[in-house]
Amino acid sequence: MMLAKAKQRSLILASASPRRKELLEGLGLTFTVQPSVANEVVEGGVSPEEFVTILARRKARDVAFSLAEPEEEVALVIGSDTVVVLDGEILGKPVDEFDAFRILSSLQGKTHTVYTGICIVEAATGKEKVGFRATHVTMRPLSSDRIRRYIATGEPMDKAGAYGIQGYGATLVENMDGDYFSVVGLPVSLVSDFLEEFGVQLL
């Protein structure tokens, strides 16, 4: 396990996602979780990379600007957002099982792109680092019965694109070109690079 030297920095994850929490824990980081309550509506006309970076920044800023205690002045807040894009359409989380079936039916047998944005904000100064990763994922051809059985697991319901590549959803994927961790929900290499710029060394 990689051990993080936080140099008296406190880290805050602005997300309730258990997958992002697990990925940060896998880096040996000590952090607290304070989910953002920021508005996640983005006006139309933006590119997918703009969409995820806008929301990642909004989430990180929401939590960073809510901190008031003196000891929190050294806090670094990590915000992230993930979307699935097929033929230019941004696919978020399904609203119900029928929507999950629609999304998965549209993805089956095709290649889509997963965009994950990341923003780290220094609470005391407002200094921030923002970026994103894009990964191409090809789904296997899937029968309607296979899609329904996957939906019955409950896994698709809280995930962008209605699947989780780290779970049963891995059996639906034929090929991937890019960063696996971004598809899970957090580009850990980019997080590492940004933290280093704030003085937090993972190695």
Side-chain angles (χ1 to χ4, degrees), residues 20-98:
R20 294 188 178 117
K21 180 174 180 289
E22 289 171 3
L23 288 175
L24 283 185
E25 289 173 341
L27 293 175
L29 290 165
T30 299
F31 60 94
T32 58
V33 174
Q34 185 175 331
S36 164
V37 293
N39 184 350
E40 296 189 29
V41 175
V42 177
E43 295 299 326
V46 300
S47 65
E49 52 267 39
E50 290 173 323
F51 187 96
V52 293
T53 52
I54 286 170
L55 286 184
R57 180 187 285 115
R58 189 180 294 172
K59 293 173 182 179
R61 285 179 173 179
D62 174 63
V63 173
F65 297 164
S66 74
L67 304 177
E69 297 299 323
E71 61 268 21
E72 293 174 330
E73 291 182 358
V74 296
L76 296 175
V77 181
I78 303 170
S80 188
D81 190 75
T82 301
V83 296
V84 168
V85 179
L86 177 68
D87 299 331
E89 180 186 0
I90 294 176
L91 304 175
K93 299 175 183 178
V95 296
D96 54 30
E97 291 187 355
F98 293 102

Side-chain angles (χ1 to χ4, degrees), residues 132-144:
F132 74 95
R133 288 281 188 267
T135 301
H136 303 295
V137 180
T138 302
M139 282 275 193
R140 298 167 55 184
L142 303 170
S143 67
S144 295

Side-chain angles (χ1 to χ4, degrees):
M1 178 181 290
M2 294 177 287
L3 299 178
K5 301 174 182 178
K7 295 187 176 180
Q8 299 182 336
R9 290 280 198 176
S10 60
L11 304 179
I12 300 172
L13 176 62
S15 172
S17 166
R19 296 166 294 281
R20 294 188 178 117
K21 180 174 180 289
E22 289 171 3
L23 288 175
L24 283 185
E25 289 173 341
L27 293 175
L29 290 165
T30 299
F31 60 94
T32 58
V33 174
Q34 185 175 331
S36 164
V37 293
N39 184 350
E40 296 189 29
V41 175
V42 177
E43 295 299 326
V46 300
S47 65
E49 52 267 39
E50 290 173 323
F51 187 96
V52 293
T53 52
I54 286 170
L55 286 184
R57 180 187 285 115
R58 189 180 294 172
K59 293 173 182 179
R61 285 179 173 179
D62 174 63
V63 173
F65 297 164
S66 74
L67 304 177
E69 297 299 323
E71 61 268 21
E72 293 174 330
E73 291 182 358
V74 296
L76 296 175
V77 181
I78 303 170
S80 188
D81 190 75
T82 301
V83 296
V84 168
V85 179
L86 177 68
D87 299 331
E89 180 186 0
I90 294 176
L91 304 175
K93 299 175 183 178
V95 296
D96 54 30
E97 291 187 355
F98 293 102
D99 194 34
F101 184 86
R102 177 190 66 83
I103 292 171
L104 289 166
S105 296
S106 70
L107 293 177
Q108 66 89 24
K110 299 179 182 178
T111 298
H112 61 273
T113 306
V114 180
Y115 291 84
T116 294
I118 179 74
C119 178
I120 298 181
V121 175
E122 185 175 55
T125 65
K127 176 183 176 182
E128 59 186 40
K129 295 292 297 183
V130 185
F132 74 95
R133 288 281 188 267
T135 301
H136 303 295
V137 180
T138 302
M139 282 275 193
R140 298 167 55 184
L142 303 170
S143 67
S144 295
D145 181 63
R146 179 73 176 272
I147 292 173
R148 291 191 180 94
R149 283 188 282 122
Y150 177 56
I151 292 172
T153 69
E155 187 175 271
M157 303 315 298
D158 66 339
K159 297 172 180 64
Y163 75 97
I165 198 169
Q166 75 286 358
Y168 293 114
T171 67
L172 312 182
V173 173
E174 183 175 273
N175 186 53
M176 185 185 71
D177 180 16
D179 180 17
Y180 166 82
F181 297 106
S182 291
V183 181
V184 176
L186 195 71
V188 293
S189 62
L190 194 56
V191 171
S192 172
D193 290 346
F194 286 176
L195 287 176
E196 291 237 356
E197 294 192 37
F198 285 107
V200 179
Q201 297 179 340
L202 296 181
L203 293 175

